[in-house]
Amino acid sequence: MKRVILILSLINCFFSYAIDNSKKVCVLGTGYVGLIVGACLADFKNQVICADVDVKKINKLVQGQIPIYEPGLKELVSKSLINGNLKFTTDLALAIQTSDIIYIAVGTPMDEDGNCNLCYLNSAINIIKDNINGYKIVINKSTVPIGTAKEMQKTFDTQAKFKIDVISNPEFLKEGTAVNDFLKPNRIVIGSKSEKAIEIIKEIYEPFVKAKVPMLITDNTTAEIIKYASNSFLATKVAIINELSALCEVTDGTINDVCKGMGLDDRIGPKFLNPGPGYGGSCFPKDILALLNTAQLKGLNLSILKTAHESNENHKINVSNKFIKLLGNNVKGKTISVLGLAFKANTDDVRCAPSITIIKNLINNGAHIKAYDPEAMNNMREILPQVEYCSNVYDVIDKTDGIILLTEWPEFKEIDWEKVKSRSSSKVIYDCRNILNISKLKSFGFEVKNIGNAEVN
Ligand code: UGA
């Protein structure tokens, strides 16, 4: 099958390049954002080359193997490999030279001190300026510190042989629903000073123009701020809800009803009001810290964002300590079952997952951890090798002293607790995503606690 895809894609590539007039696009970086952008633009019938220096990754992608778990992505990539609209290469120079439009979607990971590490971005900038062979548009999708695009434009203006227009086009896709988020965006933000570049990007995004997706045209710096502002605002919303859930626990309230009541106010809206074990992922924690650093460099103290970050850090530890309390204030020598490791459902991503902090705290208190996650165990093995990883949900629950649910995977809602009740020595469950049916569990003799609900305390 893999060989068939490869042969068909080579044949198709040859013919499509010979007769097709569509946009020639390259995407530098094949991480979450790069792969989604590349696959979706290929689906819009552009000729897309995704380029990455990681030979292993590219070899897999050429065969239609996707290195990340993202619903719908494999199908999209396979389709475009077969029809020839999508190619993968490690030859970044060639990808740049054969394209008119260059997307940058490289990682901008967080340094130990909370700064955004721009080494991959700088390599991309260098390789573009050194290999340019005509007018190009560089569209930046990577989340970069405010002012980066301006600096990039200066570098290209002074050091590249041909004109390059830089567009800042932040990505708002969410892991787990990324394909749908790209294909059906709720807004497009384009930051650029160049009328010509703006017209060309509008042509690439013609399907969005036709679908009347709101499009905000602004300058590069403002586009960069919009990205950070959106993530920081959403992270703060989650941090507030998590604090309110703690308040509900000590005041006899019910957080789910609080969220419903708040969400019905259309100035607030119902989204991103779900309490949990703390926000995580590769974006919220990193972006809020990067914004704080930028502000600090400019002599500004963004105290609300600083507090949101601290609140989230404390919340993860509080959740872990509450669970220990639930187990009689002592987990030494006890076996704990962890349901879910990914930072949220429908992804295998464990970057900054609250599960890491919570498990580490339990281990530090002497617990033995068994864990199960439908997709994230391979990634977590590298971070927490001392955890015992189980191959299914029933094995993890078997002979345990306590269960903590950390990721809202749909399959956890389907657990047959009646079947489990005789196998698990402890009946303590801490549902940190509020997805389990508490009354049913209670009827099977389980002692359940969830987030922000005094009634189940
Ligand atoms: C986030 C943004 O939502 C995207 O718009 C953005 O494009 C992306 O970052 C990025 O910058 O690349 P993502 O990190 O995939 O997307 O995840 P979210 O769905 O935003 O969730 C972030 C964290 O908040 C997760 O740990 C999640 O469990 C938590 N969360 C979210 C809650 O605890 N409660 C909620 O109600 C919502």
Side-chain angles (χ1 to χ4, degrees), residues 257-276:
D257 286 348
V258 171
C259 294
K260 260 186 218 151
M262 287 170 68
L264 286 169
D265 182 335
D266 57 17
R267 293 170 303 172
I268 298 173
K271 292 181 182 164
F272 272 72
L273 289 183
N274 296 316

Side-chain angles (χ1 to χ4, degrees), residues 126-328:
N126 285 333
I127 200 152
I128 292 170
K129 79 175 164 56
D130 293 345
N131 289 286
I132 186 159
N133 56 349
Y135 172 71
K136 309 267 173 188
I137 294 175
V138 168
I139 302 178
N140 183 39
K141 282 273 175 201
S142 301
T143 303
V144 290
I146 299 161
T148 302
K150 248 190 194 171
E151 290 302 315
M152 228 159 124
Q153 186 68 66
K154 257 191 223 158
T155 306
F156 289 145
D157 287 349
T158 53
Q159 296 178 30
K161 272 198 225 135
F162 295 88
K163 175 75 184 152
I164 298 175
D165 279 323
V166 176
I167 293 184
S168 303
N169 174 217
E171 192 45 68
F172 300 109
L173 56 84
K174 304 181 289 302
E175 289 179 23
T177 54
V179 172
N180 192 54
D181 290 345
F182 189 94
L183 296 175
K184 291 182 186 150
N186 54 20
R187 88 282 212 193
I188 306 273
V189 174
I190 295 169
S192 177
K193 280 202 299 202
S194 160
E195 294 292 329
K196 181 177 173 184
I198 291 169
E199 281 319 304
I200 294 174
I201 194 172
K202 277 186 180 166
E203 285 169 25
I204 304 173
Y205 292 155
E206 205 196 339
F208 304 140
V209 176
K210 276 190 182 151
K212 299 201 179 350
V213 173
M215 210 172 263
L216 177 74
I217 311 285
T218 181
D219 58 273
N220 294 82
T221 301
T222 306
E224 289 167 344
I225 297 175
I226 290 170
K227 170 70 190 189
Y228 278 112
S230 302
N231 275 0
S232 301
F233 192 88
L234 290 169
T236 306
K237 199 173 178 187
V238 174
I240 289 173
I241 280 305
N242 285 336
E243 284 203 350
L244 292 175
S245 70
L247 181 77
C248 284
E249 287 173 14
V250 294
T251 55
D252 230 6
T254 305
I255 191 69
N256 288 1
D257 286 348
V258 171
C259 294
K260 260 186 218 151
M262 287 170 68
L264 286 169
D265 182 335
D266 57 17
R267 293 170 303 172
I268 298 173
K271 292 181 182 164
F272 272 72
L273 289 183
N274 296 316
Y279 64 73
S282 65
C283 307
F284 283 7
K286 170 178 84 110
D287 292 353
I288 224 169
L289 285 178
L291 201 52
L292 284 170
N293 275 344
T294 304
Q296 201 182 13
L297 286 173
K298 302 276 178 193
L300 261 187
N301 176 24
L302 301 183
S303 62
I304 294 177
L305 295 188
K306 196 167 168 229
T307 307
H309 168 71
E310 284 165 6
S311 166
N312 191 57
E313 291 302 302
N314 293 336
H315 182 68
K316 292 183 280 183
I317 294 293
N318 290 344
V319 162
S320 190
N321 287 341
K322 276 181 197 168
F323 183 54
I324 294 175
K325 199 171 160 200
L326 202 65
L327 294 174

Side-chain angles (χ1 to χ4, degrees), residues 2-144:
K2 282 171 206 157
R3 202 170 291 163
V4 174
I5 289 180
L6 188 64
I7 294 166
L8 283 174
S9 80
L10 287 172
I11 295 168
N12 269 309
C13 274
F14 174 78
F15 283 111
S16 53
Y17 264 94
I19 55 169
D20 206 300
N21 229 353
S22 60
K23 297 251 177 308
K24 292 185 171 38
V25 176
C26 89
V27 183
L28 304 183
T30 54
Y32 274 96
V33 173
L35 266 183
I36 301 285
V37 170
C40 292
L41 290 179
D43 201 49
F44 289 171
K45 310 276 180 286
N46 295 292
Q47 292 298 311
V48 180
I49 309 176
C50 287
D52 203 297
V53 289
D54 187 334
V55 181
K56 259 192 189 164
K57 205 187 213 184
I58 292 296
N59 283 345
K60 280 187 174 176
L61 285 164
V62 166
Q63 295 173 41
Q65 291 174 27
I66 309 296
I68 51 169
Y69 174 79
E70 186 61 44
L73 183 58
K74 191 175 170 53
E75 294 75 7
L76 209 61
V77 167
S78 299
K79 186 174 135 196
S80 294
L81 276 174
I82 289 171
N83 69 27
N85 287 339
L86 183 61
K87 290 203 294 185
F88 292 100
T89 184
T90 51
D91 191 341
L92 276 70
L94 190 69
I96 290 163
Q97 284 161 358
T98 50
S99 303
D100 302 318
I101 295 142
I102 303 157
Y103 276 85
I104 299 182
V106 295
T108 51
M110 183 165 57
D111 271 347
E112 275 169 17
D113 52 8
N115 282 317
C116 206
N117 182 336
L118 294 182
C119 66
Y120 303 117
L121 184 89
N122 290 332
S123 309
I125 293 170
N126 285 333
I127 200 152
I128 292 170
K129 79 175 164 56
D130 293 345
N131 289 286
I132 186 159
N133 56 349
Y135 172 71
K136 309 267 173 188
I137 294 175
V138 168
I139 302 178
N140 183 39
K141 282 273 175 201
S142 301
T143 303
V144 290

